[in-house]
Structure formats: C-alpha cells, structure tokens
Amino acid sequence: MNWLHSAISRIEADYQRSADTHLIPLPLPGFASAGIDLYLKDESTHPTGSLKHRLARSLFLYSLCNGWIHEGSTVVESSSGSTAVSEAYFARLLGLPFIAVMPRSTSHEKIAQIAFYGGQCHLVDSASAVYDEARTLAQQTGGHYMDQFTYAERATDWRGNNNIAQSMFSQMARERFPVPRWVVVGAGTGGTSATIGRFVRYQRHTTQVCVADPEGSVFGDYHRTGDATLTGPGSRIEGIGRPRVEASFIRTLVDRMMTVSNTDSVAAMQLLSSLLGRKVGPSTGTNFVSMLNLACEMRQRGEQGSILSLLCDAGERYLGSYFDAAWVAQHIGDCAPAYARLQGQIQALD
Ligand SMILES: *Cc1c(COP(=O)(O)O)cnc(C)c1O
C-alpha cells in the first residue's frame, strides 16, 4: 500500500506543479468580420509536448487505482508515438520500466524522446501489429499492457475535474461567442471526442462535436454504418485515424465526421504554421481543414459563432517527415494545389 500511495502522490504533485494550456484565437480577419471566431487549444505546451500528457496521467491513475500496476511492474503500450512519450515520462516519475510498441514509421523525434525518458522502443512493421505484440510483451515480462485504445474514454473524467473540455469551455467565458458552435477534434483513441461529447451533453450546451478523420481510417465508415468489425489500411497522419475500430471511440458522441485527404492535412499544417509563426503537427492540420470547412458553411448560411479545436502537438516532432519536402513528396504527394485552395478559403473572406 505504501508504494501505491506514494505513486499516486507523485502524480498528483506533478499535476499541482503544472499550468493549464493556452487557448489561442486564430488571426483570421475575414472570418471574424463575418462573425465567426476560430480558436485552438494549445496542447503542445504540456511537459511531454502533446495532448497525450493528459491521457497518460489518467491511464496511470486508473491503472494504479484498479490495482493493475505495482512496484516494479513493467508498463507496456501500443502507440503511434505520442502516448508512449507521455507514458515514458510518468513511468520514469514512478520508477517503472516502460516498453513502447510502435510502427517502424513513427517519427525519429518521438523515438528519441521515449529513449530520453528511459523507455524502451519495440518497433513493428505495421500499425495493426502493435496490439498483439504489446499484449505478448506484457505477458512475457509479467507487466501491464496499458491499452490506451480500449481504456482512453473510461480513464478520463468527463464531468469536469480539469479535463480538456471543462478547461476549454471556461477559457471561452469572456469571448463574444462563449459557447462554441463546433468543437473539432481528431480521433486516435477517440478519448478526446468522447470526453468533449459527454461534457457538452452533461452541461446541456448546444455545441456539436465534429471529428476530422484522415483518409484510410475506419472511423468514418464505422460512424456511418455502426459495423465494429470494419478494418482499413490505416492512416498516414500520425496520431489519428486507425486501421480498426477502437473500443475507446464512442460513435454516438460524435455529431459529424469529416474525411480529410492527406494532401489537405499536410497543406493545412503548412498554412497554419505560417499563420501562427510556429510549426504545428500534421493532425492539427487535419483539424484546421475541418475548421475552415465548417467556418465556410456557417458563413454561407449567415450563421455566427465560434469554432474550437486543438493544437495537438508541435511540428518540431516531425522535421524529418511532414516538414521535409522530399519525404512529403514520397509519402503524401503534391500538396501545392491543396495549399492554394485552403489559402483561397481564407482569402476569399477577407
Ligand atoms: C492521440 C492524438 C490525437 C487524437 O486524440 P485521441 O484522444 O487519442 O483521439 C490527435 N493528435 C495527436 C498528435 C495525437 O497524438
């Protein structure tokens, strides 16, 4: 019991030392003059650089309180990288060995960061091979498979308690449209969309939740059909879109799905990076595409209001991939036409 108490205390003390993340208004005068305000909650400023810092904390607390992690337990996770970085941080805080099972394509920057926190990286050939490998490694080491894709939605406190939804809504309090018309998020585990969807209903807000889903992901088809056995090729946008329907993605909490092409996502990542004067990651680009589409729809209908989304992580994690022209040409394609079209969406309103 002593170890458990001190482990929970260490996580709580770490939380006490942390600050909340900023809500950034986007400088888009063309939309603003039409009565449409866009905001991004900057989740890149967490100590481990992404929104997964919140999830990792919740998963550790959930597993500790469930009696699934003990002194000396090896913690194993299947991840596309960001969760593993954040979990490696918390494993080090608790003095636990950590193994991340990830696709070989995961960005080098994330792999280096996991190693920096003392975690071990176990790379597999495809995104769909991570689950079985992680389960096997946990069995072999007598450790615990964290399994974010199953537990993300239930490990997170959705009624309040400083979750991302409560924080966003309270930061909007003094804006001209404090209750957003839309909240746009991507789905990897689906934990964020579930937390925000539940919070909105619980608070009886009129806000709707839109998931921006990259091409290749099964979530879009699953949302339409309800068929949980669907599989797909998976996504090329790191952090979002899955090759199988994850238990943590709760379809009934999502009001709308928008499929976004890879070239649109990467072009939007570039455009948003130049608007903000700092680099954002590719999943933030996917979010931005959906925000612009929704903003254009609202303007066409003469609707006013605010649209919120997330800056999920910073572009510095992807210098060798999404910010490398040769890599993009090979893995994503020509993004110039998409860039021009997105820029037109913004400029046409100026
Ligand atoms: C995990 C992740 C998301 C999606 O969040 P979920 O809550 O897992 O659905 C978006 N962007 C990045 C960079 C991520 O790592």
Side-chain angles (χ1 to χ4, degrees):
M1 209 54 171
N2 271 345
W3 184 83
L4 177 65
H5 286 179
S6 87
I8 294 170
S9 297
R10 261 180 268 178
I11 295 176
E12 291 298 283
D14 181 76
Y15 182 65
Q16 194 68 38
R17 294 189 297 269
S18 304
D20 198 2
T21 59
H22 303 282
L23 188 66
I24 304 172
L26 290 186
L28 297 170
F31 285 114
S33 61
I36 300 163
D37 296 335
L38 280 68
Y39 301 82
L40 287 175
K41 186 154 175 66
D42 185 3
E43 294 291 291
S44 74
T45 60
H46 287 292
T48 57
S50 81
L51 76 171
K52 290 305 191 319
H53 197 77
R54 295 176 192 272
L55 174 63
R57 184 195 294 125
S58 298
L59 286 168
F60 267 93
L61 286 173
Y62 189 70
S63 301
L64 285 165
C65 294
N66 282 341
W68 293 344
I69 294 179
H70 308 279
E71 185 169 9
S73 295
T74 298
V75 176
V76 185
E77 183 63 294
S78 54
S79 176
S80 68
S82 299
T83 303
V85 171
S86 301
E87 288 178 348
Y89 169 93
F90 284 100
R92 188 181 72 166
L93 187 73
L94 304 186
L96 300 175
F98 178 73
I99 306 174
V101 181
M102 299 181 295
R104 214 170 289 286
S105 58
T106 304
S107 84
H108 297 300
E109 291 86 347
K110 289 185 195 171
I111 292 171
Q113 235 190 318
I114 293 161
F116 173 78
Y117 289 126
Q120 206 182 310
C121 295
H122 187 96
L123 303 178
V124 297
D125 287 328
S126 78
S128 41
V130 291
Y131 315 99
D132 286 344
E133 194 69 18
R135 200 178 302 282
T136 305
L137 277 169
Q139 270 160 10
Q140 284 170 357
T141 57
H144 173 61
Y145 173 28
M146 201 65 116
D147 196 359
Q148 58 165 334
F149 295 110
T150 300
Y151 294 106
E153 55 89 10
R154 68 194 83 162
T156 305
D157 251 319
W158 52 271
R159 290 175 194 82
N161 190 22
N162 266 303
N163 68 41
I164 191 168
Q166 186 187 44
S167 169
M168 287 169 103
F169 277 78
S170 67
Q171 286 175 322
M172 285 296 289
R174 302 206 172 165
E175 302 306 302
R176 63 171 170 167
F177 305 112
V179 176
R181 171 73 183 81
W182 289 100
V183 176
V184 176
V185 294
T189 63
T192 307
S193 51
T195 301
I196 294 171
R198 285 169 179 154
F199 182 85
V200 161
R201 286 159 197 222
Y202 181 55
Q203 296 292 330
R204 287 144 284 150
H205 290 311
T206 51
T207 308
Q208 291 197 289
V209 176
C210 173
V211 165
D213 200 36
E215 66 176 276
S217 170
V218 292
F219 288 140
D221 286 340
Y222 171 60
H223 188 261
R224 211 177 48 252
T225 63
D227 179 359
T229 65
L230 287 171
T231 56
S235 152
R236 296 227 163 154
I237 304 299
E238 236 174 90
I240 54 170
R242 300 298 306 165
R244 70 169 201 192
V245 176
E246 306 294 354
S248 192
F249 178 82
I250 312 291
R251 172 176 168 258
T252 50
L253 290 168
V254 177
D255 298 299
R256 181 161 171 188
M257 297 288 298
M258 221 182 250
T259 302
V260 177
S261 72
N262 295 333
T263 49
D264 274 10
S265 289
V266 174
M269 174 198 83
Q270 295 163 348
L271 180 60
L272 183 58
S273 297
S274 69
L275 277 172
L276 294 176
R278 48 181 286 212
K279 292 183 176 69
V280 303
S283 72
T284 305
T286 312
N287 286 344
F288 191 46
V289 173
S290 286
M291 292 178 90
L292 292 179
N293 282 338
L294 292 168
C296 289
E297 280 181 19
M298 283 173 69
R299 189 170 178 275
Q300 265 167 7
R301 287 196 297 257
E303 269 179 47
Q304 300 198 330
S306 55
I307 304 176
L308 265 62
S309 189
L310 307 179
L311 198 171
C312 304
D313 62 1
E316 279 70 21
R317 286 193 162 174
Y318 309 96
L319 296 179
S321 49
Y322 299 90
F323 282 93
D324 180 88
W327 186 95
V328 170
Q330 190 189 340
H331 292 92
I332 303 292
D334 180 9
C335 300
Y339 190 94
R341 193 172 43 71
L342 292 166
Q343 207 171 26
Q345 272 188 327
I346 292 169
Q347 281 168 353
L349 299 160
D350 277 334

